[in-house]
Amino acid sequence: MTSPDPAPTVGPREILALAVPAFVALVAEPLFLMVDAAVVGRLGVVPLAGLGAASSVLLTAAGVFVFLAYGTTSVVARQLGAGSRRGAIEVGVGGVWLAAGLGLLAALVVGLGARPLAAAFGSSPAALDEAVTYLRVSALGLPAMLLVLAATGILRGLQDTRTPLAVSAVGFGANAVLSVGLVLGLGMGIAGAAWGTVLAQWGMALALLAVVLRQGRGAGASLRPHVGRVLGAALDGAPLLVRTLALRAIILLTVATAAGFGDVPLAAYQVTTTIWSLLVFALDALAIAGQALTGAQLGSGDARGAREATALMVRWGVWGGVLLGVGLLALHRVLPALFTDDPAVRSAIAAGLVVIALGQPLAGYVFVVDGVLIGAGDGRWLATSMTLVLLAYVPIVLVTRALGAGHGPEAAVVALWLAFTAFMLVRGGFMAWRVRGDAWAVTGATR
């Protein structure tokens, strides 16, 4: 009989041990896009605008399946907290096989439907052509992207964020070298940036799967596809899928509004979104710690410990947001020069970064509580609340579209980020109400 793995005693050291390595792993994808944006930006405004539309499609395709990481972390951590390492790995492997199937499907949809998908954002014909080129190449990396999500979820649930850290660091370095070499060295244009990302993503996927394979064999776990486990991973992830679809709908509504304002606002919004994503994942590192620690604590029956850890991580999230906001304000006129030489785009980027900076403390709260609730397996409530938030956001974005039309790029980008901050405020209100109650803190090996 396997001896139980006790849930960790949660304090600052335990949170940092998971959160710090998780940060680098989390920012891998936005860093990939940031490198691509910086390199493609040297080609001109039109390629950068095309990258903006293409990036939104890719992030949506990957974001829809983020439950492969988040849901897997929760169920693996619960099994680990309940004392079954073998069971933890076996339930996680079901998510890996699910990721493989969904990744192939996503690649086909994005690759074959690149033009209509990119056209949905209302880009100019020239920017649309650039977006289609980027998407058709990048679709080849979608299976790898989803496999990385699932394998990372297993390792996080096992309280290991250092391995994803190491793999992400190597992957980011490889992507940077490949993108610069292929785009600027070989003159492959926006396609070169896409190929660099695809190659880096597959390298990361193979490395993480090798680690999971070794861990599984060491625990005596079955790694073969099992219909019940794959189906269980799909059913467990369904509420998080609904939650993510509603979140992506909110993001896509904002991007579509930016595209309607013209190429300059869209290019500026692409850059500000990339920077925002980097800040989000810095704060979300605490959320990842929340997922792993909350799942393990509730799996071992320690609801009080889960609550105490939540309170500590929320405080850290808010103060982390304050620090990030202050830093971004100090750099809001420096960062735009890293992405473009166009004065109008630079000015619009700087204006948008001010609004983003002011909203960081709120973001810190929202992302930490979101991570805790995911770790608790509270997917149904998250799905319902995010759907309600989406309904509340529709009139906000319609007003933004009306007010931003006919104004300059700076005003348009500021309006977009004010609307998005309003969405975060509504979302934070729902989160605060939920976490004050007890319904989310269900204990046991399964919820």
Side-chain angles (χ1 to χ4, degrees):
M1 181 176 179
T2 304
S3 59
D5 291 324
T9 301
V10 178
R13 180 177 298 178
E14 288 73 28
I15 294 172
L16 287 174
L18 291 173
V20 173
F23 167 70
V24 177
L26 278 169
V27 301
E29 191 61 32
L31 281 176
F32 285 168
L33 293 175
M34 184 175 287
V35 168
D36 287 350
V39 174
V40 172
R42 301 303 171 186
L43 302 177
V45 174
V46 172
L48 187 58
L51 178 64
S55 297
S56 296
V57 174
L58 288 172
L59 288 174
T60 298
V64 161
F65 302 115
V66 74
F67 70 86
L68 292 168
Y70 291 174
T72 301
T73 298
S74 173
V75 295
V76 170
R78 274 187 178 268
Q79 288 286 332
L80 186 71
S84 177
R85 187 176 188 85
R86 175 179 175 176
I89 295 174
E90 287 183 343
V91 74
V93 168
V96 170
W97 286 107
L98 180 63
L102 292 176
L104 290 174
L105 179 61
L108 287 173
V109 171
V110 172
L112 297 177
R115 185 165 293 276
L117 287 172
F121 294 94
S123 305
S124 68
L128 176 60
D129 288 340
E130 298 283 352
V132 171
T133 298
Y134 191 89
L135 277 178
R136 285 176 176 166
V137 176
S138 296
L140 299 173
L142 280 172
M145 193 185 303
L146 269 59
L147 287 170
V148 167
L149 286 174
T152 299
I154 293 175
L155 294 175
R156 288 174 183 164
L158 295 174
Q159 315 296 301
D160 175 13
T161 56
R162 293 188 178 185
T163 299
L165 158 65
V167 172
S168 296
V170 174
F172 171 69
N175 178 62
V177 172
L178 288 167
S179 292
V180 172
L182 295 175
V183 175
L184 303 181
L186 298 181
M188 292 177 63
I190 197 171
W195 276 114
T197 301
V198 167
L199 292 172
Q201 287 169 336
W202 273 108
M204 291 170 59
L206 293 174
L208 287 171
L209 289 176
V211 173
V212 170
L213 180 63
R214 186 175 68 249
Q215 294 257 11
R217 286 176 174 172
S222 172
L223 303 177
R224 296 179 179 180
H226 186 283
V227 175
R229 294 192 192 105
V230 175
L231 182 60
L235 292 176
D236 288 341
L240 288 181
L241 175 60
V242 173
R243 167 253 187 203
T244 302
L245 286 173
L247 176 59
R248 292 309 304 178
I250 289 168
I251 294 173
L252 292 178
L253 279 173
T254 312
V255 175
T257 303
F261 291 152
D263 281 352
V264 171
L266 178 57
Y269 185 73
Q270 155 62 18
V271 173
T272 54
T273 299
T274 302
I275 295 172
W276 177 81
S277 297
L278 179 62
L279 299 177
V280 163
F281 285 116
L283 294 171
D284 217 23
L286 286 172
I288 294 302
Q291 290 176 26
L293 294 172
T294 300
Q297 295 245 319
L298 293 178
S300 69
D302 188 5
R304 179 179 178 181
R307 280 192 165 279
E308 291 174 351
T310 296
L312 176 59
M313 288 183 286
V314 164
R315 289 196 297 272
W316 282 21
V318 172
W319 281 109
V322 171
L323 292 175
L324 288 174
V326 170
L328 186 58
L329 280 176
L331 297 173
H332 79 282
R333 293 198 176 277
V334 176
L335 293 175
L338 300 177
F339 298 93
T340 179
D341 295 324
D342 187 279
V345 179
R346 283 188 180 185
S347 181
I349 292 171
L353 291 180
V354 172
V355 182
I356 294 173
L358 296 176
Q360 287 309 292
L362 172 62
Y365 175 83
V366 169
F367 295 130
V368 169
V369 176
D370 187 57
V372 167
L373 295 179
I374 290 173
D378 202 15
R380 291 184 180 180
W381 183 87
L382 287 168
T384 301
S385 65
M386 190 62 76
T387 302
L388 294 175
V389 173
L390 169 60
L391 294 176
Y393 186 64
V394 171
I396 294 174
V397 81
L398 290 176
V399 171
T400 302
R401 182 174 297 181
L403 294 177
H407 293 78
E410 287 187 29
V413 174
V414 167
L416 288 165
W417 281 108
L418 285 175
F420 199 80
T421 302
F423 144 68
M424 291 292 288
L425 186 61
V426 175
R427 186 182 179 191
F430 275 95
M431 296 282 184
W433 177 81
R434 182 62 170 180
V435 82
R436 286 175 183 169
D438 297 319
W440 63 273
V442 178
T443 58
T446 57
R447 185 176 172 85

